[in-house]
Amino acid sequence: MAARGVKYIDCYGVDNALVRVADPSFLGYCIDKGISAAAKVVRKAYPQEKVGVFVRRGKGGPLTVVEYSELDTNLASEINQETGRLRFCWSNICLHMFTLDFLKQVADGLEKDSIYHLAEKKIPSIHGQTVGLKLEQFIFDAFPYAPSTALFEVLREEEFAPVKNANGSSFDTPDSARLLVLRLHTRWVVAAGGFVTHSVPLYSTGVEVSPLRSYTGENLEALCRGRTFHAPCEITC
């Protein structure tokens, strides 16, 4: 990457159907402020939501991520009396920006310090499934080493549609992520002056806008204003 002249790296989770790849607002903010490591965050939906949260370890300490399995139940439910929100409310949704210079510096430190997250896993064995312990490291473990960091709040309904479970589960499935995409794009069409009709309930269908046509709903007015689209349908370039 250095040989190619790359200076900044945009990292994202492939299990998020609403990810904005190389978001110019996010990257532009971080570059303008000279940030070494940054993350997009959304407010935690409820105390026991299975997402890691950003915290500072000690007063003025480094910014780091505590996994949901590592956060005490009482702490997860604690309320910040000044804001009325959860004390630990900034969810890590695996949307990060790093400078290449920082990653080159931090790689050796991560390998040397060998700090791991402990996770219980069901492991196949000759005696059937058994509980084992897995030592894990993640890309966001780089944050405590960063000389400068930033958290960039985004709206959950616009940038977080996770796929973590198979269809048939009650949440975070391919079907639920698909609906979140359709709902967002339908709002884009309506905001651009279009109309949407549907034969089934709108909460279960919608319009999909090709990313070749629009990135975040921009430049749709000329195509959509005064037109009616029958859902489900796709708007292409």
Side-chain angles (χ1 to χ4, degrees):
M1 286 190 286
R4 290 171 178 260
V6 173
K7 294 182 179 180
Y8 308 98
I9 300 170
D10 181 42
C11 302
Y12 59 90
V14 296
D15 58 353
N16 180 1
L18 285 178
V19 69
R20 293 182 180 178
V21 178
D23 181 357
S25 297
F26 177 50
L27 298 182
Y29 174 83
C30 298
I31 293 169
D32 182 62
K33 299 297 182 182
I35 302 297
S36 300
K40 286 186 174 183
V41 294
V42 298
R43 296 186 187 185
K44 203 172 182 182
Y46 51 91
Q48 305 311 321
E49 185 181 13
K50 292 185 176 182
V51 290
V53 290
F54 280 93
V55 304
R56 285 205 180 278
R57 292 197 180 275
K59 188 175 182 179
L63 188 70
T64 187
V65 174
V66 175
E67 282 289 84
Y68 66 87
S69 57
E70 301 168 335
L71 189 63
D72 179 80
T73 302
N74 291 329
L75 282 178
S77 302
E78 191 171 319
I79 300 296
N80 183 322
Q81 297 303 320
E82 294 182 3
T83 64
R85 298 196 297 260
L86 291 172
R87 180 184 176 190
F88 301 108
C89 66
W90 299 124
S91 301
N92 173 36
I93 55 174
C94 294
L95 301 177
H96 305 136
M97 189 287 294
F98 302 104
T99 65
L100 184 62
D101 286 343
F102 166 63
L103 287 187
K104 286 193 292 186
Q105 295 168 9
V106 78
D108 290 339
L110 278 172
E111 186 173 2
K112 180 182 67 176
D113 291 348
S114 298
I115 298 174
Y116 295 98
H117 301 267
L118 191 63
E120 288 190 359
K121 301 288 183 179
K122 291 183 178 179
I123 302 173
S125 75
I126 60 172
H127 302 295
Q129 294 285 339
T130 186
V131 176
L133 298 177
K134 182 180 179 183
L135 302 179
E136 299 178 328
Q137 282 189 320
F138 303 102
I139 185 67
F140 49 77
D141 290 330
F143 274 86
Y145 297 84
S148 56
T149 55
L151 299 182
F152 192 89
E153 184 186 4
V154 297
L155 296 177
R156 175 184 290 263
E157 60 269 24
E158 293 184 356
E159 300 200 38
F160 191 43
V163 179
K164 298 185 180 296
N165 304 303
N167 284 331
S169 299
S170 56
F171 57 91
D172 295 349
T173 66
D175 281 348
S176 68
R178 174 178 171 273
L179 285 176
L180 288 170
V181 172
L182 293 176
R183 289 172 187 171
L184 175 62
H185 292 192
T186 298
R187 292 197 296 272
W188 291 353
V189 170
V190 173
F195 302 92
V196 177
T197 61
H198 46 94
S199 302
V200 297
L202 191 56
Y203 64 78
S204 62
T205 187
V207 177
E208 181 176 358
V209 178
S210 167
L212 299 176
R213 181 72 201 191
S214 182
Y215 181 70
T216 56
E218 77 287 350
N219 300 326
L220 290 175
E221 288 81 2
L223 177 65
C224 296
R225 188 169 300 281
R227 288 186 59 188
T228 298
F229 301 88
H230 186 75
C233 68
E234 181 184 10
I235 298 176
T236 65
C237 58

